[in-house]
Amino acid sequence: DLRESPNSRRPGLLADPRGNDSDVASINAHSNRQDIASGQRPSRRAARREPRPLRRRAAGRLVVTDVFGVPTQALMGQLLIGLINGAFYAMLSLGLAVIFGLLNIINFTHGAQYMMGAFCAWFLLQYAGLGYWWALAITPVVVGATGIVIERTMLSRLYKLDHLYGLLLTFGLALIFQGLFTNYFGSSGQPYRLPQEFGGAFDLGFMMLPRYRAWVVVASLIVCLSTWYVIERTKLGSYLRAATEN
């Protein structure tokens, strides 16, 4: 009878799977002595350090909070970080796909121009004294102008040649741009100030999401959907699609 055990007078002992090992061991020992006194073999459940039902309840509690052995909070945090990084890569690959579809040239300088855009915004913020939104509006124009110069002076001469020539040219330009910026600024990122409206973070329960990171995801969706709409739903897009086919 468990009521005779001094440990059983503690409230909630059997219902709480967090009971310490000494309590569980005393209950098992008491049950084992009763089995021996009655001439029965000690049960396997009593011989174990921790009762099986308690392990099941503990395991059931872990199933709710774990996915494939990974805590839910850590898993959701990693998925959200992957979504943020994927937003950067989506904007990066979008221009590469459009250029290849229109010009039939694998533009390896696209990543270097992406880097140039980041440095252009940094210059405007740190040295020109412009605000975040002005830098965000001017930077695409500057990077687009560099792309026009490269296309008019170099790539236009390779349209009738094999694609390998354009690939080698753009790859060489990418190495030149990357080497120049790495030589002057190093390989580490440059700090910049954020606008006040992007300060702070959202409490998602499982992690704190900075507002600026949330803005990156929203901006990426806007750019990707706008590009799709222009190409698929407008007259200009029909011209672009016709140029890619013929």
Side-chain angles (χ1 to χ4, degrees), residues 1-160:
D1 188 2
L2 296 180
R3 291 177 297 176
E4 296 178 1
S5 173
N7 291 323
S8 63
R9 289 193 291 269
R10 296 177 60 183
L13 176 61
L14 297 179
D16 188 3
R18 295 173 296 180
N20 55 40
D21 293 340
S22 61
D23 295 334
V24 176
S26 63
I27 295 175
N28 290 339
H30 185 77
S31 301
N32 198 1
R33 288 196 300 269
Q34 283 189 342
D35 291 338
I36 294 174
S38 61
Q40 299 177 0
R41 296 180 61 186
S43 62
R44 295 180 62 185
R45 180 181 299 177
R48 293 183 180 271
R49 183 72 174 174
E50 183 182 355
R52 189 180 301 273
L54 300 184
R55 286 205 312 273
R56 287 179 179 175
R57 284 195 290 270
R61 187 172 66 253
L62 291 176
V63 168
V64 176
T65 58
D66 288 9
V67 178
F68 301 111
V70 180
T72 305
Q73 293 183 351
L75 179 62
M76 296 300 295
Q78 291 298 321
L79 290 176
L80 189 57
I81 292 174
L83 178 63
I84 295 170
N85 292 332
F88 287 106
Y89 288 115
M91 290 188 289
L92 178 62
S93 62
L94 182 63
L96 184 65
V98 172
I99 292 173
F100 178 73
L102 292 178
L103 303 179
N104 260 344
I105 290 179
I106 303 175
N107 184 19
F108 265 85
T109 60
H110 192 74
Q113 290 177 289
Y114 197 81
M115 174 197 65
M116 291 169 59
F119 273 102
C120 179
W122 180 74
F123 275 117
L124 294 176
L125 287 172
Q126 297 295 115
Y127 297 103
L130 298 179
Y132 175 83
W133 298 108
W134 279 107
L136 191 63
I138 295 174
T139 297
V141 178
V142 176
V143 177
T146 61
I148 292 174
V149 172
I150 294 174
E151 193 274 333
R152 292 297 182 182
T153 58
M154 301 180 189
L155 293 179
S156 61
R157 304 173 186 271
L158 304 177
Y159 288 156
K160 296 181 180 181

Side-chain angles (χ1 to χ4, degrees), residues 123-229:
F123 275 117
L124 294 176
L125 287 172
Q126 297 295 115
Y127 297 103
L130 298 179
Y132 175 83
W133 298 108
W134 279 107
L136 191 63
I138 295 174
T139 297
V141 178
V142 176
V143 177
T146 61
I148 292 174
V149 172
I150 294 174
E151 193 274 333
R152 292 297 182 182
T153 58
M154 301 180 189
L155 293 179
S156 61
R157 304 173 186 271
L158 304 177
Y159 288 156
K160 296 181 180 181
L161 300 179
D162 189 84
H163 297 320
L164 183 61
Y165 293 98
L167 187 149
L168 293 175
L169 173 63
T170 56
F171 183 70
L173 290 175
L175 293 179
I176 292 173
F177 292 151
Q178 181 179 354
L180 289 174
F181 279 89
T182 304
N183 183 47
Y184 283 100
F185 300 102
S187 58
S188 60
Q190 302 295 329
Y192 59 95
R193 62 182 183 274
L194 292 176
Q196 295 181 356
E197 53 267 28
F198 290 146
F202 297 105
D203 187 3
L204 302 181
F206 56 90
M207 69 172 294
M208 300 297 293
L209 175 64
R211 293 186 178 181
Y212 183 71
R213 295 295 184 180
W215 158 245
V216 168
V217 177
V218 173
S220 175
L221 291 175
I222 293 174
V223 171
C224 293
L225 292 177
S226 300
T227 304
W228 171 84
Y229 181 82

